[in-house]
């Protein structure tokens, strides 16, 4: 089981929890943000949102780029949980952490904003924004892109845009 994705997620969770227990300065490392990403990639909504909330609690005000790393996954998990206001807040925090275009955070956050806009009835314009954000991830942060690209495929298919869905898949 060691090589399976599930085993790797379990291992990551154990390592992160051990690091938290061993380091009194844990909240000042980047491990809270790494945990948010790891739990988000694993689809653990509750844990990803808890770690994101802890990041914000430890870092009042604007987040640095390092502290904003987990915000796109926190936004995606909030959207999955049906909390669109929290998803938008986290996505906007992710966009605000970055000056210029740091693909992982900026494009991930913009993808969640695009998803939220499509779901809210934004139509083709919102779908195009989502597609552009996913393209940014694919070209600059490929490993970070699959969860966001799945939204583009699903929402494109629901909008009867088979060509876009097929091209993304």
């Amino acid at each position: 089981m060691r090589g399976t994705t599930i085993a790797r997620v379990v291992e990551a969770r154990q390592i992160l929890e051990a690091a938290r227990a061993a380091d009194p300065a844990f909240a000042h490392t980047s491990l809270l943000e790494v945990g948010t990403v790891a739990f988000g990639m694993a689809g653990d909504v509750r844990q990803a949102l808890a770690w994101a909330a802890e990041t914000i609690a430890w870092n009042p005000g604007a987040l640095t780029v390092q502290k904003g790393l987990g915000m796109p996954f926190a936004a995606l998990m909030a959207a999955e949980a049906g909390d669109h206001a929290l998803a938008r807040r986290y996505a906007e925090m992710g966009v605000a952490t970055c000056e210029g275009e740091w693909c992982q955070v900026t494009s991930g956050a913009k993808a969640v904003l695009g998803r939220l806009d499509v779901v809210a009835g934004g139509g083709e314009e919102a779908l195009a924004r989502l597609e552009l954000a996913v393209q940014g991830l694919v070209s600059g942060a490929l490993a970070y892109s699959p969860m966001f690209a799945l939204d583009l495929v699903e929402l494109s298919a629901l909008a009867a845009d088979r060509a876009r869905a097929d091209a993304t898949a």
Side-chain angles (χ1 to χ4, degrees):
M1 183 165 124
R2 182 164 171 75
T4 67
T5 302
I6 293 170
R8 300 305 301 202
V9 170
V10 169
E11 183 180 14
R13 183 182 314 235
Q14 292 168 343
I15 291 168
L16 287 164
E17 291 296 349
R20 177 195 291 277
D23 186 355
F26 179 83
H28 302 292
T29 70
S30 62
L31 292 176
L32 273 173
E33 298 70 46
V34 169
T36 301
V37 173
F39 295 127
M41 287 184 135
D44 188 336
V45 173
R46 186 187 58 76
Q47 201 70 354
L49 292 176
W51 284 49
E54 191 171 345
T55 293
I56 293 166
W58 279 103
N59 300 280
L63 297 176
T64 64
V65 171
Q66 174 190 355
K67 295 298 180 183
L69 179 66
M71 287 303 112
F73 275 97
L76 188 59
M77 293 297 98
E80 287 294 322
D83 190 339
H84 294 188
L86 183 61
R88 186 168 297 281
R89 176 175 173 240
Y90 283 164
E92 288 172 352
M93 289 176 82
V95 171
T97 64
C98 302
E99 291 186 29
E101 191 68 23
W102 198 48
C103 289
Q104 286 178 293
V105 175
T106 306
S107 293
K110 287 180 179 179
V112 175
L113 289 171
R115 170 196 174 150
L116 293 170
D117 291 346
V118 170
V119 171
E124 172 57 31
E125 213 174 278
L127 203 51
R129 286 194 307 275
L130 172 57
E131 182 177 29
L132 184 62
V134 169
Q135 287 171 351
L137 286 168
V138 169
S139 68
L142 185 59
Y144 207 73
S145 65
M147 291 183 73
F148 302 96
L150 285 172
D151 281 340
L152 179 57
V153 171
E154 180 181 1
L155 294 169
S156 295
L158 289 172
D161 188 342
R162 185 181 174 119
R164 182 180 275 149
D166 288 347
T168 304

